[in-house]
Amino acid sequence: MSSFVGVLVSDPGLQSQFTQVELRSLQTKFVSIKNQNGRVTLADLPPLMAKLKALSQMYNEEEIRGLLSDLGSDASNEIDFEGFLKTYLNLQTQANAKLGNSKNSSSFLKAITTTLLHTIIQSEKASYVAHINSYLRDDPFLKQFLPIDPATNALFDVAKNGVLLCKLINVAVPGTVDERAINTKRVLNPWERNENHTLCLNSAKAIGCTVVNIGTQDLPHLVLGLISQIIKIQLLADLNLRKTPQLVELVEDNNDVEELMGLAPEKVLLKWMNFHLKKAGYKKPVTNFSSDVKDGEAYAYLLNVLAPEHCSTATLDAKDPAERANLVLEHAEKMDCKRYLTPEDIVEGSPNLNLAFVAQIFHQRNGLSTDSKKISFAEMMTDDEQISREERCFRLWINSLGITSYVNNIFEDVRNGWILLEVLDKVSPGSVNWKHATMPPIKMPFRKVENCNQVVRIGKHLRFSLVNVAGNDIVQGNKKLILAFLWQLMRFNILQLLKNLRSRSQGKEITDADILKWANKKVKSTGRTSQMESFRDKNLSSGLFFLELLSAVEPRVVNWNLVTKGESDEEKKLNATYIISVARKLGCSIFLLPEDIMEVNQKMILTLTASIMYWSLQQPVEESESSPSPATATTPDTSPAPSISGEDESSLGGDFSNLTIDDAASDTTVSSQVENEESAL
């Protein structure tokens, strides 16, 4: 396995869009259409593209030829394999947009962020502008630019410095970005603007956005797709039992609660909508936010049952769908629901805007029971805080890898083994035998066990600590075992990425002990005396060591006027929040929370330190090996640095060894006997 290289492409972001199985299949197809001269042109692609499963249901050969001609390129132009992959991604995204949903359970998170064509849907832009004007109009910095006129391209002008997007992320998930780290001068130089873009993209990943193929240079062009994802994350934030335990009313049997917890937010929203439609006497199930709602009838029934005081028989009596849609929106406005769409958007079945509309109705009036017994049961089903934080970290990390599947709930989604196999294939190309794997949906239980058995076998080959663990332990959803496995998988990925830079360390194998030594040496080289004894050193809770480390790798990035002494819990929280945003601003892709630093969570402390080290090792030798003072520091390379999240794994290879953390070994050793005793978790 160590000698397997896999199918590699020069662009890590492009590589991250595909599994090795997909790359091998697409490469075979690409080679098959080479003509006698060994060349492939754009004109050669339509017959092949029309046969690909992702496109065949939506487009025929002639339609694909027409779409390719819209690119403005000469059909006789030669195209290489990477160009073929980009063209395929572009057509696939357009096909998904045309369908109104995708095979992926979180289609809205796979927004148009990887295409060559940057299509702007005016109605969506107007809706997002209205949202921004509403939520950010009182922002001290942005109010000088708001309200934005949706009829112009002013949105893109305001967004180009990255400030608006950082602020919008904080509206969606408060506290994600420490606004002290945002460069908010009226006129920003290219370096400061790039810092804001980097902070924005890494923070977007940290809340669950799919940005694996966006660089800071792409941000102005792809801003609408990113805004769409951020807003939808905000609108769907409460569609889970932790935030809204009343959702337990949607299940008839308590045994179905875990299934509800594993559903994607938009699936929960559909389940909620159908729950009320059934009560209202509506006979047809709503399975999407496009074709099933475009006649407006479902909306009429839904609003009548939720807000009967504003009910009008004229809505259902209306024969014209456009007239009915207009009456529906008038009804919604009486409920104080923000208008995210027009009657035309309903009739045309705009999936993004209809989803936003239904989410607003849910927020305004969900119509669910306040039965205290049911709510208490739902609260009992939610995880404790520590498990929930780790689940969140690993979920976001997996979603940042760019695998085909999207994870909504770690504990439910990994039980069939498929997602774990995808992740293993991403971080260790060639490790998975796909001939012995079964893709979901999986009806036969033993197929799930087969997938998970292969996961365990690969884990053992990678020298993970898996004592007495079998695939069935994953199938049964053992939470502690799953978290321990994912931690080892994430750490393997981090150390592999660092090892890939071994040319900067004279070929020496990099271990976690080296990470610790590097961090201490880096801080000491600036003349400071702080030291990290281990990744569980309680002195780290003040945050001062990491601020000194960040300042050591890039003196410009830390504003010491904003740093506290880190003595009280409040001061520690301020420092920890600042550390995370400064690290992301630098170019580190991290998923920990301020509490992880304050409580010195050794796993998250390791990932943070390794991420900073990874960024530093990629800088020119004179910057990564010397210790420039603030007065003599040169301007760093403004190109976005690859993250530790798997986006630069295309050149990984070689053996892996010495994967231990001495002071944490007991935390990553898993025994099925112990776990079975704690199965109640």
Side-chain angles (χ1 to χ4, degrees), residues 94-163:
Q94 292 186 70
N96 286 340
K98 185 177 178 182
L99 277 170
N101 57 10
S102 83
K103 64 179 181 180
N104 194 298
S105 62
S106 278
S107 58
F108 80 81
L109 289 173
K110 300 292 184 182
I112 305 178
T113 57
T114 58
T115 62
L116 302 176
L117 294 174
H118 309 305
T119 304
I120 296 176
I121 302 173
Q122 292 301 327
S123 59
E124 289 195 16
K125 186 182 77 170
S127 176
Y128 301 151
V129 165
H131 183 95
I132 290 168
N133 287 339
S134 173
Y135 282 92
L136 292 173
R137 62 188 174 193
D138 297 324
D139 181 84
F141 177 79
L142 291 175
K143 63 182 181 182
Q144 60 186 315
F145 306 108
L146 301 182
I148 298 170
D149 184 355
T152 69
N153 286 327
L155 170 63
F156 306 108
D157 292 330
V158 176
K160 67 183 179 183
N161 64 10
V163 177

Side-chain angles (χ1 to χ4, degrees), residues 498 501-510 617 625:
L498 286 170
L501 301 175
R502 59 187 178 273
S503 61
R504 296 289 179 86
S505 55
Q506 293 77 47
K508 181 179 179 292
E509 187 80 18
I510 294 179
L617 289 177
E625 294 185 355

